[in-house]
Amino acid sequence: MKKMICTLMSVMLLLLLAACSGENGDTTPPAEDTSGDAVGGSDTSGDSGYPTMSLTVAALDSADTAKAHDIQLFTDLVTERSGGAITFNVQYDALLGKATDNLSTIGNGIADLGTVCTLYTPSQLPLSQITYCVPFAPSDPELAAQLMYKVGEAFPEFYTEYENNGVVNLGWKGNEPYKLYSKEQITSVSQLNGMKMTLGGVYYIPWFESVGAVPVNAPAADLYQTIKTGVATGSFVYDSIYCDYKLYEVENYCLEVGLGARNNDTICINKSVWDSLDENTKELFQSCADDAMAEFQKWEAEQMSAWVSEMEANKVTISPLADQEKSDWAKTALEYKDTLQMWIDEVTNLGYDGAAIMAAYLQAGEDLGYTWAFDTTPYKQ
């Protein structure tokens, strides 16, 4: 009797289970929840078709500075276009390591992506230093970026050198033209003789040494104190840094030296992370990088006038350098140390065709409508 009751109860239980699962005609067990963080995984968020992931970002500066704006534009675009599937944890103020080490920070996987300032990487990214070795370059930041895109298209080695450092370069950004800011008014190159001024990079230093200036090394975050305490009496930076750090409180004069805008920053992603992404997601990242850089250049063009207005509101006297002085300085600088040939020799020793690349770079500038302030004939093949 007990055996019969047990059998009847088992049958009833099976019928009950069948009734519950048969309502929708689907007996497939629910999929395992894999909504946690992933990089290049198969999990998708909603109908976006993109993998759900949260990536760590190494920004170069504070969130409210121009130097961090490009990475903010990029991450916002990716999150928006991925339907929220891809999000970012942006670490500002160099919290993941010194800004000068951002290439290694990203390449070693401490951050998944971020901004790399090429000024900080002369030994790791020697080809990218071409943007710095040519005196009196275009003052248009967008043109500075276009030069890098054009030479990079002709010579893929410009991208390969990033991959050799464990990152993939997604886009070039041009920064505003460098200017000379000082405690005392300067209107002529001759006044630079004996002046202590903050300088960075391999190639800027000989340009100023050629006219007697004394280089002082100081990162952007230390400029205010460096000028205030008299360690230096001038700084060679650009308007956004000058305004972001309120340097007009310690130096009230600006000389538009015309040395040019440079391609300072690039958006980079860790190569292992990149390689793990499917093609659809790679296309998303690349298109967002392209659009973010274009949007940044537009924003920067608008801000350049605003930074000048901020300077004028803070009683900064702005003076232009005469064209003849620019031409004379370019001649003096290249006679003192030919930084173009210096770059050509350095990259040629590394196995690149330095002469061909330099010729293409200078020709690209002319094709884009720019007239260099020196004779480019010796560098043309």
Side-chain angles (χ1 to χ4, degrees):
M1 184 68 176
K2 289 182 179 180
K3 184 177 181 179
M4 184 179 294
I5 292 173
C6 289
T7 301
L8 288 171
M9 291 180 66
S10 297
V11 171
M12 292 175 64
L13 181 60
L14 288 171
L15 290 172
L16 180 61
L17 289 172
C20 291
S21 63
E23 183 176 346
N24 296 319
D26 182 11
T27 58
T28 304
E32 180 183 356
D33 182 8
T34 58
S35 59
D37 293 349
V39 176
S42 60
D43 177 50
T44 59
S45 174
D47 298 325
S48 72
Y50 296 107
T52 299
M53 64 177 76
S54 179
L55 302 179
T56 301
V57 182
L60 282 176
D61 214 327
S62 303
D64 59 349
T65 61
K67 244 184 171 352
H69 191 59
D70 58 331
I71 202 70
Q72 190 63 61
L73 288 170
F74 170 71
T75 53
D76 286 349
L77 277 177
V78 174
T79 297
E80 176 186 348
R81 293 180 184 178
S82 70
I86 304 173
T87 57
F88 300 90
N89 175 22
V90 183
Q91 297 293 315
Y92 294 101
D93 300 304
L95 290 178
L96 298 178
K98 293 187 296 184
T100 51
D101 296 334
N102 244 24
L103 179 64
S104 299
T105 298
I106 301 166
N108 293 333
I110 297 172
D112 297 310
L113 59 91
T115 308
V116 171
C117 178
T118 54
L119 187 67
Y120 299 149
T121 59
S123 59
Q124 301 103 313
L125 302 172
L127 290 179
S128 295
Q129 304 309 305
I130 196 171
T131 190
Y132 302 110
C133 74
V134 183
F136 297 98
S139 293
D140 180 357
E142 185 173 1
L143 182 53
Q146 287 177 352
L147 273 169
M148 297 306 289
Y149 278 111
K150 286 184 76 69
V151 76
E153 182 180 356
F155 296 91
E157 300 96 311
F158 274 80
Y159 293 98
T160 303
E161 73 171 355
Y162 282 84
E163 295 184 16
N164 291 340
N165 285 276
V167 304
V168 172
N169 176 359
L170 297 178
W172 309 91
K173 181 186 83 177
N175 283 33
E176 328 107 68
Y178 279 78
K179 299 177 183 178
L180 176 59
Y181 311 86
S182 57
K183 282 187 170 184
E184 303 294 333
Q185 186 171 20
I186 296 173
T187 57
S188 172
V189 173
S190 62
Q191 293 174 265
L192 300 180
N193 187 29
M195 178 180 176
K196 293 182 179 180
M197 55 184 302
T198 62
L199 287 169
V202 176
Y203 303 102
Y204 294 155
I205 291 175
W207 297 347
F208 283 90
E209 286 180 336
S210 73
V211 292
V214 181
V216 175
N217 185 36
D222 296 340
L223 288 177
Y224 189 102
Q225 204 62 21
T226 301
I227 300 299
K228 183 178 181 180
T229 57
V231 175
T233 56
S235 56
F236 183 60
V237 286
Y238 35 87
D239 290 349
S240 61
I241 289 180
Y242 182 79
C243 292
D244 284 342
Y245 289 96
K246 301 186 186 307
L247 295 179
Y248 42 70
E249 294 179 355
V250 291
E251 46 188 1
N252 302 111
Y253 296 94
C254 169
L255 179 64
E256 296 178 331
V257 289
L259 280 168
R262 310 288 165 175
N263 171 255
N264 286 70
D265 301 330
T266 56
I267 291 180
C268 294
I269 184 169
N270 176 274
K271 189 174 185 305
S272 295
V273 172
W274 177 258
D275 290 342
S276 73
L277 301 175
D278 61 83
E279 289 304 314
N280 191 39
T281 306
K282 285 181 179 179
E283 290 177 7
L284 171 71
F285 273 66
Q286 186 60 69
S287 65
C288 287
D290 293 341
D291 291 347
M293 287 308 199
E295 181 62 27
F296 179 87
Q297 301 295 179
K298 179 182 177 182
W299 172 85
E300 186 178 46
E302 296 169 350
Q303 286 296 115
M304 285 169 68
S305 297
W307 288 319
V308 169
S309 296
E310 183 177 348
M311 292 162 63
E312 292 174 341
N314 284 278
K315 312 301 182 185
V316 177
T317 299
I318 302 174
S319 305
L321 186 65
D323 289 342
Q324 186 59 52
E325 288 224 54
K326 294 177 186 178
S327 180
D328 291 344
W329 188 1
K331 185 174 183 296
T332 299
L334 293 177
E335 287 176 351
Y336 176 81
K337 182 171 287 187
D338 188 341
T339 49
L340 285 81
Q341 191 61 50
M342 178 180 168
W343 180 90
I344 291 171
D345 293 341
E346 288 173 350
V347 301
T348 298
N349 289 336
L350 295 172
Y352 300 108
D353 191 346
I357 297 173
M358 178 59 73
Y361 183 84
L362 296 173
Q363 186 61 52
E366 294 173 7
D367 292 344
L368 290 167
Y370 182 70
T371 301
W372 301 99
F374 57 94
D375 181 12
T376 62
T377 305
Y379 311 100
K380 296 287 187 67
Q381 290 187 327

